[in-house]
Amino acid sequence: MESGRRAAAGRNQMLLPPPPIQRFKYSKRVMLKSILDREDEGLAIVGQRVAVGGWVNSRKERAEADDASSPTRPAQADDEVLVQYVPFLRPISKDKHTIVYLLINDGSCITNLQLVMDSSMSVPGQVVTVGNSILVEGVLRGTWTGTKRVVELIVEKLLHVGAVDLKTYPLAKPQTSLPFLRDHLHLRPRFITIGSVARIRSSLTCACHAFFNDLGMIHVHMPIITSVATGSQSQRFQVTTLLDTSDQGHVDLEAFKAAVQEKRSRIKELRRGRNNKEALTAAKEDLEKSKELVRVLEERQKTATVYVGDVKLSEDFFGRAVYLSTSAGLHLESYACGLSGVYTIGPVFRADESQSGKKLAEMWMVEVELAFAELEDVMNCAEDLLRSLCYSLLATAGNDLKFAATNIDGDCIKRLQSITPRPFDRITYSNALRILNQVKDRSFLTQAVWGADLSEEHESYLADDYFENPVIVYEFPQEIKPFYARGNANGITVSAFEIIAPKVGVLARGSQKEERLDVIRKRIEEVGLPEEQFDWYMDLRKHGSVKRSGFSLEFEKMVMMATGITDAEDAIPFPRARGDAKL
Amino acid sequence: MESGRRAAAGRNQMLLPPPPIQRFKYSKRVMLKSILDREDEGLAIVGQRVAVGGWVNSRKERAEADDASSPTRPAQADDEVLVQYVPFLRPISKDKHTIVYLLINDGSCITNLQLVMDSSMSVPGQVVTVGNSILVEGVLRGTWTGTKRVVELIVEKLLHVGAVDLKTYPLAKPQTSLPFLRDHLHLRPRFITIGSVARIRSSLTCACHAFFNDLGMIHVHMPIITSVATGSQSQRFQVTTLLDTSDQGHVDLEAFKAAVQEKRSRIKELRRGRNNKEALTAAKEDLEKSKELVRVLEERQKTATVYVGDVKLSEDFFGRAVYLSTSAGLHLESYACGLSGVYTIGPVFRADESQSGKKLAEMWMVEVELAFAELEDVMNCAEDLLRSLCYSLLATAGNDLKFAATNIDGDCIKRLQSITPRPFDRITYSNALRILNQVKDRSFLTQAVWGADLSEEHESYLADDYFENPVIVYEFPQEIKPFYARGNANGITVSAFEIIAPKVGVLARGSQKEERLDVIRKRIEEVGLPEEQFDWYMDLRKHGSVKRSGFSLEFEKMVMMATGITDAEDAIPFPRARGDAKL
């Protein structure tokens, strides 16, 4: 009996089916991730039939199928088959019978899947090549690339092919660069680096929520449009419905557009006639000219001077001047003074004052506010958040990080790994100055002096060279920190901090908030803010004030630190900067 | 041996310490949730010493401590003690020796914790009452309220009390209503209903991420500022830096402000003198008058006519007209055509054209786009998302839902429960009209006719009365759906759908996107969109087009359906509507 049981158990183990492929529930295909991102890299599911889709990254051909398992098995009839292996549609010259190898990617993971198919298996008149979309069904097979065994798909049915215009397809060029792709924002998600950054960004978002969730903190959506001065006037974007510039061109564009429509109708008529080819050709040419004119006029209108005249703010949509939020911090405080532990992940907007350098005008920010918490508490929280994000990436985004380490920044994995185990050094602003002023082996463009912000080179020296890890600087001079940072007893410094990280500089900044009504009122006066706009903010001190502290973390910088991407415009899907708001 | 082991196991079980209290890592207190939201409702941790903080919701007194465990044990010296039980600070009349019962809440959960403390334990000159913040240390004790055993805290140390100005504290009034609180947005998070809605909103956000994460889909941040016409011109908010209205008042406000500063300095001087009380009083009065004047001028300026003159869009920050996004859908498609399964949770903006009814101008939206997916796939996905959100709320937000069922909408739990097990009915638009036109027992204000949107009363009839569950309506007439919805073979309808839910009407809408280049070009022409602005969008059809489908779910409506809240302004922290952008 005993041995019989044991044998059965052994047999069971041996006969266990391979771990099933996780089907994607909402389309008739399997995500490549489900095949390639398994621990067995798909090898345990060899022999299974799957449908996969994606975009073709490369194509190779080989003259003859010398492989026993070449895709010669005819397709079975199937309702799902859109375009099938139908060699009888066109004569196949036996000489031209080749095997096509396509590398495809669907963005679900960084690894490509190789499709192997017969060249005859194609949409008539169309060669499946780089940039095509493709949806196929086939059987997974193991194969060798060098010394490594990988999985590939023997295609049996071509379900769909989406054409590509190779002449204008930006990703067809072999040397596609990130700066080049910024002119093709809509197509760059297919570029391997941008896809990889997107997945890392997504992982980071989810890791943020997981971190705060585990703590029992509450996610709140903070306003984007606000009448509160959350930043300096010159940094703010105004939001209005008063500037209706759409139909204020200096010519009657609508009339030209109507003419285009008329010409179109005329062409339709001519087409119905079917016997007036010359007139049709002439009409078509005429239409093109009119369309071109409309295009030129519209282009001119875009940059035209538009007379607006008197703007009555009382007639604006909100009946007053409103702006895009430059920080959720003040509003978040209102929620912390009720829900005690809150965070938000949202966009903030800065109309960068400097003309030089491309700073993002639209950024995403993680912002946190904790009631009953002091400076040290939020320094701990920010440090733990950062560490937790690094852990999470190392655990979940391994392949994307490996790609980044190979193709963008060789240090990126090392950097994340170095952050996880070590507590960050914490130094006062004064001590940071001391360190910077004792540097002998290099000279800074600007000297680090008390009362001035640390410059980028100072930050880089501290994080990249001196500590070789993120470092927390705290206790800043009052004059370089916002009015709400809590004043220390010395009357000179405030309870504020920054986390300066390698590669990106200031990654997070925060402070204990001034909870004393009389002190905050004095500060608002001192810095010359419109007091009546801050009545609500003082109310939070007047009614049940508590010690509270918060911080914000710049999401794009986190992405840049993790991947080694050096331009923020590549760390966000649709970058906005001065003079640049494509799409 | 055997019985010995068994006994040891039993003893282990009996001697197991109570499940520990989960400390909140980033402040020196325990979240109330960690005490009250346990399965044992805190009763298993009776006897433990904790620090808790929160805001006082109610106060009661009882003349004499007839309870053996009344808080008479003196406090121990402790570094953390800010304000301690120090009766010797002021003489205590034995007659006035009372026990104070405070209900406090910290927003981490809906349940209040009762604090029991001696009236003598107080900051001198201050009575702890409604609206105060309070941070205390004490010992948990079981007590009876009616037939239910609950936990309360015997306060031993008063660590901090934040004052309240009861005369102006809006939540001190016994009959505080939601509409009243909309004028006090900054304080309303402490109001029990708003706190509860915030927690449910937070749960929903996290449940969304969990749903898509489990599917392997990628979260992307879509742009807020866009130059693409994602909605009708009249619905859009323009974003500009050209209207610098900050210092264009008709009077020189700065001079008046300077005068205020001078008067302040004068007062300081007089104070230093210390012997000129009359002059000081006069100066103070003078200051108040000047301040009032500045306030009036500033107020006037807010609604003043501001001369702007010619606006050169080429001189605007982005060098062109840009707007707040009305939908992330088009941009999301670009990411789906590369990463194949993507979603976003972000704000969208609509300058509501109608003057009547308060529609939110700033809303949050969950938007999804799937490549290689057809209409049915996204209908399935949207239905599953909705069901998953309901499941998740029922599993995690039980106490908040119970509160909503008792205080806002008795049906809300029933509604969520009814959604989870039942597949949604799916009917075509034509069949929806048929159902509506066969209704005998009521008359609609407008008849449901082909080619028109269903009205709110139609939607309500279908979801609340006929199906008593969310219902999916699909196959809409082309003219009432956006240009990108995929045309059906009949030339009349498009592959679009709506989920109409009880209580809130259209909760989600989506469509299969037109993937055929020639068809989408024709549609863009037909509806008169500026073709050159959609070149990029057509590119997504020109280069490797795939069948794709997407949908959006209105986040505020989801909150309203879950809680029964009837006004969207109470379902979002800082509502924005026509003429209304407080804070």
Side-chain angles (χ1 to χ4, degrees):
Chain A
M1 271 297 276
E2 176 96 331
S3 74
R5 251 195 238 133
R6 215 178 277 149
R11 202 168 57 231
N12 270 346
Q13 210 165 14
M14 286 173 66
L15 290 182
L16 264 179
I21 305 177
Q22 202 196 330
R23 310 238 155 228
F24 184 63
K25 239 178 132 179
Y26 307 111
S27 67
K28 292 167 192 74
R29 47 127 205 166
V30 168
M31 277 190 182
L32 295 190
K33 173 195 175 88
S34 310
I35 297 171
L36 303 167
D37 252 11
R38 304 160 53 106
E39 280 205 10
D40 57 46
E41 292 176 332
L43 290 169
I45 45 176
V46 157
Q48 291 200 36
R49 169 175 297 271
V50 292
V52 297
W55 287 266
V56 178
N57 280 334
S58 84
R59 174 197 168 96
K60 276 186 201 163
E61 275 186 43
R62 205 170 53 186
E64 195 63 39
D66 52 6
D67 191 324
S69 57
S70 73
T72 48
R73 188 183 134 190
Q76 267 105 55
D78 189 313
D79 282 342
E80 281 180 23
V81 176
L82 305 179
V83 179
Q84 207 168 303
Y85 175 25
V86 274
F88 49 84
L89 270 181
R90 52 174 192 166
I92 295 175
S93 147
K94 279 201 173 169
D95 305 345
K96 289 196 172 175
H97 186 68
T98 55
I99 303 296
V100 180
Y101 298 87
L102 302 173
L103 288 179
I104 67 160
N105 193 287
D106 69 355
S108 66
C109 63
I110 198 150
T111 323
N112 292 318
L113 177 68
Q114 176 158 285
L115 306 185
V116 184
M117 61 185 230
D118 194 290
S119 63
S120 64
M121 191 188 285
S122 181
V123 186
Q126 193 178 322
V127 177
V128 180
T129 182
V130 172
N132 275 128
S133 69
I134 187 167
L135 184 66
V136 298
E137 194 183 306
V139 174
L140 292 170
R141 179 178 73 170
T143 188
W144 292 96
T145 54
T147 58
K148 190 169 157 51
R149 193 150 172 84
V150 296
V151 75
E152 65 183 11
L153 188 84
I154 309 302
V155 177
E156 297 193 347
K157 289 179 202 164
L158 202 52
L159 303 174
H160 173 85
V161 171
V164 64
D165 177 1
L166 275 182
K167 273 174 289 179
T168 57
Y169 186 60
L171 276 76
K173 301 197 178 87
Q175 277 158 352
T176 312
S177 71
L178 287 171
F180 171 78
L181 282 175
R182 279 174 222 144
D183 288 330
H184 306 275
L185 291 182
H186 58 303
L187 291 171
R188 71 173 188 170
R190 291 184 207 172
F191 188 60
I192 186 163
T193 308
I194 296 294
S196 188
V197 168
R199 283 185 297 273
I200 284 175
R201 220 183 138 97
S202 176
S203 287
L204 286 171
T205 301
C206 294
C208 276
H209 284 292
F211 176 82
F212 294 116
N213 242 323
D214 284 351
L215 290 167
M217 288 173 61
I218 296 162
H219 176 265
V220 287
H221 286 122
M222 290 293 99
I224 314 301
I225 296 173
T226 177
S227 52
V228 172
T230 58
S232 78
Q233 172 67 30
S234 57
Q235 280 193 323
R236 294 198 286 173
F237 290 105
Q238 192 163 353
V239 175
T240 181
T241 51
L242 290 175
L243 294 186
D244 186 2
T245 52
S246 62
D247 48 13
Q248 304 213 23
H250 294 289
V251 290
D252 188 359
L253 190 54
E254 290 314 309
F256 286 88
K257 281 184 180 171
V260 167
Q261 285 299 347
E262 258 173 51
K263 284 170 191 172
R264 275 202 188 107
S265 312
R266 169 89 185 117
I267 289 173
K268 274 186 197 161
E269 252 170 59
L270 288 170
R271 273 200 186 121
R272 264 196 290 276
R274 280 188 192 188
N275 47 12
N276 207 336
K277 274 201 176 171
E278 267 176 44
L280 184 65
T281 310
K284 276 184 179 171
E285 272 171 25
D286 190 30
L287 172 67
E288 281 314 309
K289 274 182 204 155
S290 293
K291 276 167 72 178
E292 180 57 28
L293 181 62
V294 167
R295 212 168 289 138
V296 168
L297 288 174
E298 281 180 333
E299 200 52 47
R300 196 192 293 166
Q301 199 180 50
K302 251 189 240 164
T303 56
T305 298
V306 178
Y307 179 78
V308 176
D310 290 344
V311 172
K312 272 206 174 71
L313 285 181
S314 59
E315 283 171 12
D316 207 346
F317 188 86
F318 294 109
R320 65 198 298 176
V322 294
Y323 303 90
L324 292 182
S325 176
T326 57
S327 158
L330 301 189
H331 293 90
L332 205 55
E333 235 183 278
S334 137
Y335 264 71
C337 291
L339 304 183
S340 64
V342 292
Y343 73 103
T344 194
I345 306 180
V348 299
F349 305 84
R350 308 253 167 94
D352 180 26
E353 288 156 65
S354 77
Q355 295 273 356
S356 66
K358 278 224 171 174
K359 285 198 184 166
L360 290 185
E362 178 176 313
M363 299 165 284
W364 285 75
M365 203 76 97
V366 182
E367 298 187 67
V368 176
E369 193 73 27
L370 297 173
F372 306 103
E374 301 180 25
L375 183 68
E376 204 190 341
D377 295 314
V378 280
M379 293 202 296
N380 292 343
C381 184
E383 178 174 343
D384 284 354
L385 170 63
L386 184 48
R387 190 175 288 120
S388 158
L389 293 181
C390 296
Y391 264 123
S392 167
L393 277 189
L394 289 167
T396 62
N399 287 337
D400 282 311
L401 290 177
K402 267 181 224 157
F403 172 82
T406 312
N407 296 280
I408 307 172
D409 173 5
D411 291 333
C412 75
I413 294 181
K414 216 171 64 193
R415 194 160 52 233
L416 295 176
Q417 283 171 338
S418 120
I419 287 173
T420 46
R422 279 202 277 163
F424 301 171
D425 283 289
R426 297 183 182 195
I427 54 170
T428 61
Y429 171 84
S430 303
N431 280 335
L433 291 195
R434 212 159 288 142
I435 291 171
L436 290 167
N437 287 320
Q438 282 168 359
V439 176
K440 299 270 180 279
D441 57 342
R442 80 166 71 182
S443 60
F444 296 121
L445 291 172
T446 54
Q447 214 201 322
V449 290
W450 174 271
D453 278 317
L454 299 180
S455 71
E456 274 181 31
E457 52 173 353
H458 298 149
E459 289 163 10
S460 168
Y461 177 78
L462 290 172
D464 293 277
D465 303 323
Y466 193 88
F467 291 104
E468 293 180 313
N469 213 37
V471 53
I472 299 184
V473 180
Y474 65 103
E475 303 286 304
F476 280 83
Q478 186 171 59
E479 57 265 37
I480 57 171
K481 284 293 166 189
F483 71 95
Y484 49 70
R486 191 180 199 274
N488 290 326
N490 59 24
I492 299 166
T493 58
V494 290
S495 289
F497 77 100
E498 294 177 354
I499 299 187
I500 302 174
K503 193 100 189 174
V504 293
V506 179
L507 179 58
R509 35 171 69 85
S511 62
Q512 182 166 343
K513 302 295 163 70
E514 184 56 73
E515 89 280 9
R516 296 162 293 187
L517 180 60
D518 51 337
V519 184
I520 196 81
R521 181 175 284 138
K522 200 167 136 263
R523 286 296 294 150
I524 286 175
E525 267 184 38
E526 277 172 5
V527 301
L529 286 168
E531 214 174 311
E532 81 292 343
Q533 275 191 35
F534 287 89
D535 279 346
W536 71 278
Y537 193 64
M538 288 190 275
D539 261 9
L540 300 177
R541 278 82 188 159
K542 202 168 167 188
H543 303 304
S545 189
V546 294
K547 291 197 177 177
R548 52 193 175 272
S549 305
F551 70 90
S552 61
L553 179 138
E554 289 188 35
F555 207 76
E556 280 72 33
K557 282 200 178 170
M558 185 67 212
V559 173
M560 290 160 77
M561 193 187 69
T563 56
I565 285 276
T566 50
D567 197 311
E569 292 187 276
D570 301 321
I572 188 169
F574 294 90
R576 274 82 184 86
R578 182 180 281 278
D580 192 0
K582 283 187 205 78
L583 305 192
Chain B
M1 267 299 276
E2 177 95 332
S3 73
R5 249 193 239 134
R6 217 178 276 150
R11 200 167 57 231
N12 271 345
Q13 212 165 10
M14 288 170 65
L15 291 181
L16 265 177
I21 305 178
Q22 202 197 329
R23 313 239 152 228
F24 184 64
K25 239 179 133 177
Y26 307 111
S27 67
K28 292 169 193 72
R29 47 125 206 170
V30 168
M31 278 190 183
L32 296 189
K33 172 195 176 90
S34 311
I35 298 171
L36 302 167
D37 251 12
R38 303 160 53 105
E39 282 206 8
D40 56 47
E41 292 177 333
L43 289 169
I45 45 176
V46 157
Q48 291 201 37
R49 168 175 300 271
V50 292
V52 297
W55 288 265
V56 178
N57 280 334
S58 84
R59 174 198 167 96
K60 276 186 201 161
E61 272 185 47
R62 204 170 53 185
E64 194 65 38
D66 52 6
D67 191 326
S69 57
S70 72
T72 49
R73 187 182 136 192
Q76 269 105 55
D78 190 316
D79 284 343
E80 282 179 22
V81 177
L82 306 180
V83 179
Q84 208 167 304
Y85 175 24
V86 273
F88 48 84
L89 271 181
R90 51 172 191 167
I92 296 173
S93 147
K94 277 198 175 171
D95 304 346
K96 290 197 172 174
H97 185 70
T98 56
I99 303 296
V100 180
Y101 299 87
L102 302 171
L103 288 180
I104 67 160
N105 192 287
D106 69 355
S108 66
C109 63
I110 198 148
T111 323
N112 292 318
L113 178 68
Q114 176 158 282
L115 306 184
V116 184
M117 60 185 230
D118 195 289
S119 63
S120 64
M121 190 188 285
S122 180
V123 187
Q126 192 179 322
V127 178
V128 180
T129 184
V130 172
N132 274 129
S133 69
I134 187 167
L135 184 65
V136 298
E137 194 182 305
V139 173
L140 293 170
R141 181 179 73 169
T143 189
W144 292 96
T145 54
T147 59
K148 191 171 156 53
R149 195 153 170 81
V150 297
V151 75
E152 65 182 12
L153 188 84
I154 309 302
V155 176
E156 298 193 346
K157 289 180 205 165
L158 201 54
L159 302 174
H160 172 85
V161 172
V164 65
D165 178 1
L166 275 182
K167 274 173 289 179
T168 58
Y169 186 59
L171 276 75
K173 301 197 178 85
Q175 278 158 351
T176 311
S177 71
L178 287 171
F180 170 79
L181 282 175
R182 280 175 221 143
D183 288 330
H184 306 276
L185 291 182
H186 58 304
L187 291 171
R188 72 173 188 169
R190 290 183 209 172
F191 187 59
I192 186 164
T193 308
I194 297 294
S196 188
V197 168
R199 282 185 298 273
I200 283 175
R201 219 184 138 97
S202 175
S203 287
L204 286 171
T205 301
C206 294
C208 276
H209 284 292
F211 176 82
F212 294 116
N213 241 323
D214 284 352
L215 290 167
M217 287 173 62
I218 296 163
H219 176 266
V220 287
H221 285 122
M222 290 292 99
I224 314 302
I225 297 173
T226 176
S227 52
V228 173
T230 58
S232 80
Q233 173 66 30
S234 57
Q235 280 193 322
R236 293 198 286 174
F237 290 105
Q238 192 163 353
V239 175
T240 181
T241 51
L242 290 175
L243 294 185
D244 187 1
T245 53
S246 61
D247 47 15
Q248 306 211 21
H250 294 290
V251 291
D252 187 358
L253 189 55
E254 290 313 310
F256 286 86
K257 281 187 179 168
V260 167
Q261 284 299 348
E262 258 172 50
K263 283 169 192 175
R264 276 205 187 102
S265 312
R266 169 86 183 120
I267 288 173
K268 274 186 197 160
E269 250 170 60
L270 287 170
R271 271 201 187 120
R272 263 197 289 277
R274 282 187 192 190
N275 47 12
N276 207 338
K277 273 199 179 175
E278 268 176 46
L280 185 62
T281 312
K284 276 183 179 171
E285 275 171 24
D286 190 30
L287 173 65
E288 282 312 310
K289 276 182 204 155
S290 294
K291 275 166 76 178
E292 181 56 28
L293 182 62
V294 167
R295 214 168 285 139
V296 168
L297 289 173
E298 281 179 331
E299 201 52 46
R300 195 193 294 166
Q301 199 182 51
K302 253 188 236 166
T303 56
T305 298
V306 178
Y307 180 78
V308 177
D310 290 345
V311 171
K312 274 208 172 71
L313 285 181
S314 60
E315 283 172 13
D316 207 346
F317 188 86
F318 294 108
R320 65 198 298 178
V322 293
Y323 303 90
L324 292 181
S325 177
T326 57
S327 158
L330 301 189
H331 293 91
L332 205 54
E333 235 183 278
S334 136
Y335 265 70
C337 290
L339 304 183
S340 63
V342 291
Y343 74 103
T344 193
I345 307 180
V348 299
F349 305 83
R350 308 252 167 92
D352 180 26
E353 288 155 65
S354 76
Q355 295 273 356
S356 68
K358 277 222 169 174
K359 285 198 184 163
L360 290 185
E362 178 177 313
M363 298 164 284
W364 285 75
M365 204 76 98
V366 183
E367 299 188 65
V368 176
E369 192 74 26
L370 297 173
F372 307 104
E374 301 179 26
L375 183 68
E376 205 192 339
D377 295 312
V378 280
M379 293 202 295
N380 292 342
C381 184
E383 178 174 341
D384 285 354
L385 169 64
L386 183 48
R387 189 175 289 118
S388 158
L389 294 181
C390 296
Y391 265 122
S392 167
L393 277 189
L394 288 167
T396 62
N399 286 337
D400 282 310
L401 290 177
K402 267 181 223 157
F403 171 83
T406 313
N407 297 280
I408 308 172
D409 173 5
D411 292 334
C412 75
I413 294 181
K414 219 172 60 191
R415 195 160 52 233
L416 295 176
Q417 282 171 338
S418 121
I419 288 173
T420 47
R422 280 202 277 164
F424 301 170
D425 283 290
R426 299 182 182 195
I427 54 170
T428 61
Y429 170 84
S430 303
N431 281 334
L433 291 195
R434 213 159 288 142
I435 291 171
L436 291 166
N437 288 319
Q438 282 169 357
V439 176
K440 298 267 179 277
D441 59 341
R442 81 166 70 180
S443 61
F444 296 121
L445 290 172
T446 53
Q447 213 203 322
V449 290
W450 175 271
D453 277 316
L454 299 181
S455 71
E456 274 180 30
E457 51 173 356
H458 299 148
E459 289 161 10
S460 169
Y461 176 79
L462 290 172
D464 293 275
D465 302 323
Y466 192 89
F467 291 104
E468 293 180 311
N469 213 36
V471 53
I472 299 184
V473 180
Y474 65 102
E475 302 287 305
F476 280 83
Q478 186 171 60
E479 56 266 37
I480 57 171
K481 283 293 167 189
F483 71 95
Y484 49 70
R486 191 179 198 275
N488 290 327
N490 60 21
I492 298 166
T493 59
V494 290
S495 289
F497 78 100
E498 293 179 355
I499 299 186
I500 302 174
K503 192 100 189 171
V504 293
V506 179
L507 179 58
R509 37 170 68 84
S511 62
Q512 182 166 343
K513 303 295 164 68
E514 185 55 73
E515 89 281 9
R516 296 163 293 188
L517 180 59
D518 51 337
V519 184
I520 196 82
R521 181 175 284 138
K522 201 168 134 265
R523 286 295 294 149
I524 287 175
E525 266 184 39
E526 277 170 6
V527 300
L529 285 168
E531 212 174 313
E532 80 291 344
Q533 275 191 36
F534 287 88
D535 279 345
W536 71 277
Y537 193 65
M538 288 189 276
D539 261 9
L540 300 177
R541 277 83 186 156
K542 201 169 167 187
H543 303 303
S545 190
V546 294
K547 290 197 177 178
R548 52 194 176 270
S549 306
F551 69 92
S552 61
L553 179 138
E554 288 188 35
F555 207 74
E556 280 72 33
K557 283 200 177 170
M558 185 66 212
V559 173
M560 291 161 77
M561 192 188 68
T563 57
I565 285 278
T566 51
D567 198 311
E569 293 186 275
D570 302 321
I572 189 169
F574 293 90
R576 273 84 186 85
R578 184 179 280 277
D580 192 2
K582 283 188 206 78
L583 304 192

